[in-house]
Amino acid sequence: MEERNAIEVRELTKRYGGVTALDRVSFEVGCGEIFGLIGPDGAGKTSLFRILTTLLAPDGGSASVNGLDSVADYRQIRRQVGYMPGRFSLYADLSVEENLSFFAALFGTGIRENYDLVAPIYSQIEPFRKRRAGKLSGGMKQKLALCCALIHRPSVLFLDEPTTGVDALSRGEFWDMLDGLRRCGISILVSTPYMDEAGRCDRIALINEGRILGIDTPQGLVDGFDEGVYELSGDDMSGLLARVRAERGISGCYPFGAVHHVVAAEGFDAVAFVARIAAEGFSGVSMQCIGAGIEDVFIKKMGR
Amino acid sequence: MKILLVLLDKEIRQFWRNRFLPVMTIVFPILVMLIFPWITTMEVRNVGVVVVDGDRSSASRRLVSKIGASDNFSLLGTAPDFNSALAALEAGEADIIVEIPDGFGEIRAEEHRNVSISANGVNAVKGALGTQYMLQTVMRTQAELLGEKMPFSPADDIAVLNLYNPTLEYRFYMIPALMIILMIMLGGFLPALNLVIEKEKGTIEQINVSPVGRLPFTLAKLIPFWIIVLAVLSVAMLIARFVYGLTIAGSAGAIYSASVLFVLAMSGLGVTVANHSSTMQQTMFEMFFFVVIFVLMSGLITPVESMPEWAQWITRLLPPRYFVDIMRAVYLKGTTVAELWREYLALGGFALLFDTLAVVAYKKQA
């Protein structure tokens, strides 16, 4: 028997009045895969999640989870998926333990029956099980929310920006937890605005303004980048930006943290270029070839 | 069923954990019942009176002392002429000017000297009732004077007997109304706010993605408040009994059965409103809209019978109208459920309608 995809999205469209939030989006997520949706705020990620979790009806196209249609079979989908909304949405006035057992009870189960699944995560917050959820730190809230989304043993997990507003260390831990869940056979659709988290996914879709810009493994996307990327820095950063953009043969230059990224076709002579602009009066200029990152891919695809 | 218990358990825990709600549901009704019966009175007391005594006889002094002795009036003093009395009225110090004409004491049937009463009509109730009281006082004084001059009293007093509320105690009329206002506020607002808070905080999302049906979910939002409102009603009835001495002329069962139907209707309305709004502000505003209509149009304060015909038609669509009739009739007259079956039926209809709407209006999917 052919293995079924956990999630299949075909030509999915959603409009709010005149705004198109999702424009003929298609992708599929295999069983046991961590699939990342990478895109800025307002890209349509949350609309996509709400359709897949049966909270929102699409205007066109179809979405299915475990082979069940998001509109026709919504009841069955609700039993099989776990959803962690982008906003903390547990009961702040209930304790950690009460929240978890409440969400277990909603699905007709209990903490004990599913303890093995959540144990690696829950054990970290268990010392605080009597504490009200509202009084937890950001990282602990997020762990509790993940536990609550998992407590009924879903086969597909939807995580809408789970790491937004969480410190870098907790974010790393969180992704480690997702790796553990994948080993348990759970398929995960996760969205994030952080490009650096893309590398933790099996495959990613770049999404912007309701359109998918590309779908591949993180490495595949980077390998598909057919131009050279250079890191440029100097004393007069804003002057450099203007100067490089005026140069012929350079397809893009944009600020990237403390440096600029310069995208140029194969055969671009960086050494000669640095010498040339140093002669024009730019001091402290350094330029070296680096590999393209997901963000470079994103910016390039977005510009197209 | 098991799901409903899980949800109810959660609601009750949250209710007691709230810093504000348990206190409010206890303190608010007690305050209302202890304070408002003294305030919401239609009896007019301390109407400011200025007398212009043009007679200066023993007869006119008798009238002035009667005015001074009455609880209804507070005699501010006498003025030398009408214009200076009018100045006091314009300054807002006096509400009524009584002008006693020269020759007030010498009552002869053929030439009647009129006492003139001028009242400030800005506060219509005070003006009208004050004038009424003053008329009675003047007429009684005149009757006394006449009786002293002619040994045979010309007319007997008209006998007035107020049934069901013998002393015409306005408080007894208002106490059932205050209970109803409490039940509208608590029964309507609390479930509405509870639901919309789940929407605002986003916690409802997690419930929506679960297999929980809308019937148990809605019931869990309603049932705690049915219990709370009936408990509050019991406290209010105890206060009515032991603070104001108002006992139920009819049966407590008739009160409770009507109250159950009423709170079912109010909470259903509250949850329906919350289902249609996305923010607390929206819910509050919509609820206030209904509450204002309920309070002003259901006969709680002003009798439905004195409203224009079209307004009376509207009142038929308001659940509190029927509840007001039941509460006053059972409380003051001792009317039975059998006699009020139409009102009970109407309340039951509203309860069914609003609770069905509450369940149907809850949509897990947008």
Side-chain angles (χ1 to χ4, degrees), chain A residues 50 55 83 87 91 93 98, chain B residues 13 17 198 200 205 366:
Chain A
R50 291 176 60 83
L55 294 177
Y83 177 39
R87 204 162 51 133
Y91 293 97
D93 44 4
E98 283 168 335
Chain B
R13 275 172 204 261
R17 296 237 172 119
E198 287 228 25
E200 280 203 332
E205 293 271 274

Side-chain angles (χ1 to χ4, degrees), chain A residues 219-243:
Chain A
Q219 197 54 49
L221 279 172
V222 170
D223 291 346
F225 200 89
D226 52 3
E227 289 176 299
V229 177
Y230 301 84
E231 194 179 85
L232 174 72
S233 64
D235 294 335
D236 178 12
M237 290 302 279
S238 57
L240 272 177
L241 192 64
R243 172 62 188 87

Side-chain angles (χ1 to χ4, degrees), chain B residues 246-265:
Chain B
L246 176 62
T247 49
I248 309 167
S251 73
I255 298 273
Y256 275 108
S257 47
S259 302
V260 166
L261 293 177
F262 184 65
V263 69
L264 253 65

